Amino acid sequence: MSTPDSPHSATPYAGPNTPAPASAPAPGRGLGIAGFILSLLGPLTVLGLILSIVALIQSRRAGRPNGFAIAGIVIGALGTLILIGLIIIGAVAAGQLAETCQQLGPGTHVKDGITYTCS
């Protein structure tokens, strides 16, 4: 016959130093961290923005906070705006270069201190 405190007891005893059972992972937390990290990586900022939005939706459905997802959305949105601005500036510069080369013709030309090599 076993007593409640014996090692052969039917119910396990959790002592004062026994860790609590692990809780279920927060939905969207890992995705939020991935989105945050990607939002910091230049051209991948758009992907980080998308992952962070998905993570925030998952977390909100579960009623859990997700600071990484919110930070990823903010940083990803700013990074996306900067990326779009750089693309527009690059397209305008390429258009002006093409127009200048069309006016100058093929060859190497110096105009206003700038060297153009047109083909």
Side-chain angles (χ1 to χ4, degrees), residues 21-93:
S23 62
R29 177 132 172 102
L31 202 56
I33 292 170
F36 172 74
I37 291 170
L38 288 174
S39 70
L40 298 172
L41 299 178
L44 298 177
T45 190
V46 177
L47 183 59
L49 174 63
I50 293 168
L51 287 180
S52 295
I53 291 171
V54 171
L56 185 62
I57 291 170
Q58 288 179 356
S59 296
R60 287 212 173 146
R61 283 185 182 158
R64 306 287 297 265
N66 194 339
F68 279 111
I70 293 171
I73 290 170
V74 171
I75 295 169
L78 291 173
T80 300
L81 290 175
I82 291 170
L83 187 61
I84 289 170
L86 291 174
I87 290 170
I88 290 171
I89 290 170
V92 169

